[in-house]
Amino acid sequence: MGTVHARSLEPLPASGPDFGALGEEAELVEVEPEAKQEILENKDVVVQHVHFDGLGRTRDDIIMYEIADVFKAKNLIDVMRKSHEAREKLLRLGIFRQVEVLIDTCQGDDALPNGLDVTFEVTELRRLTGSYNTMVGNNEGSMVLGLKFPNLLGRAEKVTFQFSYGTKETSYGLSFFKPQPGNFERNFSVNLYKVTGQFPWSSLRETDRGISTEFNFPIWKTNHTLKWEGVWRELGCLARTASFSVREESGHSLKSSISHAMVIDSRNSSILPKRGALLKINQELAGYTGGDVSFLKEDFEFQLNKQLLWDSVFSASLWGGMLVPIGDKPSSIADRFYLGGPTSVRGFSMYSIGPQSDGDYLGGEAYWAGGFGDLFRTHFFLNAGNLCNLNYGDGPKAHLQKLAEYIRWSYGAGIVLRLGNIARLELNYCFPMGVQSGDRICDGVQFGAGIRFL
Amino acid sequence: MSLVAEAFMNQLAAAEPWPENAALYQQLKEDQILLSDNAASLAVQAFLQMCNLPVRVVCRANAEYMSPSGKVPFIHVGNQVVSELGPIVQFVKAKGHSLSDGLDEVQKAEMKAYMELVNNMLLTAELYLQWCDDVTVEEITHPRYGSPYPWPLNRILSYQKQWEIRRKMKAIGWAGKSLEQVLEDVDQCCQALSQRLGTQPYFFNKQPTELDALVFGHLFTILTTQLITDELSEKVKNYGNLTAFCRRIEQQYFEGHDKDGSAAASARSAKRSLLR
């Protein structure tokens, strides 16, 4: 070759296109039969232009970040792959209904022989969209109606109003979401909500009206969330026959807390994982930013999945948590932990392990639960756990001792069904053991639906 | 619970004797309780004293929300929770204690009529003064009602209660009344009570009844609670036999008891702490 080719430059983001070294081109023009394949795979290309069709209110700068990588592609397969990734990123922003990618050779005066044009044809979402879904939580289902203003100001901000009517809770809320341009994983949102829940295992009714702001950001492989939340909680008895301990908790309280959560998830699926591990650690500190509830709460969840022979999976989980009230006010029933049910320690009724009064379960300040299971559409499981209140005057040895006595455990087998990617249904035959007086069991057949199982 | 089951439970409860640890719940004495609630609580305490049934007074900031009917006071006896004077009188009667057994039908009807008078006139006037008179609301009611709660919950709860009471006043036609008219109504009510009492020691001559407890609760609280002005207590002081009646009941049933729940101590401390 020996000639110098002028390259054209578009106005580019910080990382511009790569210039292929002249030397490489010299090698590549071959005329063999396998050259065709080589041309496709190894031919050096330069992405000269990236066009966007269909942008309306979306701002240019956030688009630039998502497609920056396309310019870095060196050969055709790379261009196709990077364009596909860019398309995924653009769809993830939640502002386009549809994104089509067209790769073509460059035409026009400044076209290079190996220049390519990539065109993204996008259709923006309307300014106001509505949605109707059903959601499955842990042993509860709900119907959700939503009204969304996607891409409000052009940079993928989103305002959503949602109304949810479910078997346990009814709620509505307004939320504002804004990602950082170029870094969708980093975002912050502000939520206003009102949730009304009914909990028959404690004969308790709870209405929460609150406001929360949260920041999400990834650090290396982990995902972190920092949240401030202010909630006005109103507790009441669900029936006239509620026990006096629950009646004493009725009334209003204000919780203002900051919390931090960290999640590392390497599982291939969260519903029925075949491999990978999950670690979630959550802490919450209430009382130092106002309100009249003051505590420190720690909570962790660990799960490990390993594939064994014959397409079966061995899964082990460990959960635990502790609530330490700060000051001399005792903890509120709305903050304590609950244990038991088809999605945690199977064989026991929903949230029916631990301290109770006249059949109303009051929750406990410390708990642990562990499970082993073998999953293959039919599964075997072994669960154990304990929930109690700790006497914080004693040392950690005494705490461990208290958590270790009166262990409830259960074993059994059943069938597992996956509901798409949304939820898991289980039908088990359980043998609860280690039952303490006051626990409510569900021995025999137990059905559970949910997203988070022990 | 179905009505039948509830009736059955009440029958079972009636068979049990009055326990030692019966408790009466009201709001915090020093900082929170308002005039009308204090009057109601005092009436129940007087009634139980007259029946010779021991009860200890427990003060909780969330007493109003703990109560099954939303009103204080309520008593916790064994497994049962009963609120307000009317149901408490019924409950105590089921256990075999009653103050109005000796009355004939005509007198019982009269007693009911006078109790309705107190509830419709005196209690409503107290509520009007607390929640509809702007000066009292601003200086006494709002600070006291929200005192156990942090900001902004204290403002939210007291405004919520104010709207509720004002709606009720509108429904019964008191919203249009001025303070003078309300005080006139109080005067008329006191006049009726004074005439009925006459020179007798109690409303039905020798023995106190629940009417005496109710009247004592309201009048004593009005006399000993310091508000913005003394107009309300002046209206009651106009009738000498009513003030003598209050003093008599106080001396007979509340003094000489060492319990914290003595009416005199509780009312006097309410009086001191109402000075703002």
Side-chain angles (χ1 to χ4, degrees), chain A residues 209 232-237 239-241 244 247-254 290-292 358, chain B residues 1 6 25 60 62 65-68 74 76 79 81-82 148-153 156-157 160:
Chain A
R209 298 168 180 90
W232 164 23
R233 296 189 299 209
E234 186 182 338
L235 294 170
C237 297
R240 237 182 159 279
T241 49
F244 201 71
R247 197 174 274 286
E248 281 183 312
E249 304 254 10
S250 312
H252 299 258
S253 67
L254 188 67
D292 56 3
D358 286 348
Chain B
M1 254 205 318
E6 214 171 309
Y25 287 82
R60 288 282 168 88
N62 59 340
Y65 310 107
M66 279 167 73
S67 160
F74 67 92
H76 182 214
N79 264 349
V81 176
V82 193
Y149 300 104
W151 185 91
L153 199 53
I156 296 175
L157 290 178
Q160 207 178 35

Side-chain angles (χ1 to χ4, degrees), chain A residues 344-347 371-374 379-383 410-414 426 428-431 446 454:
Chain A
S344 62
V345 183
R346 298 174 182 83
F372 295 110
D374 199 17
H379 78 138
F380 309 98
F381 64 85
L382 171 66
N383 292 150
S410 70
Y411 63 93
E426 280 191 11
N428 297 315
Y429 194 88
C430 315
F431 299 94
Q446 192 180 40
L454 181 63

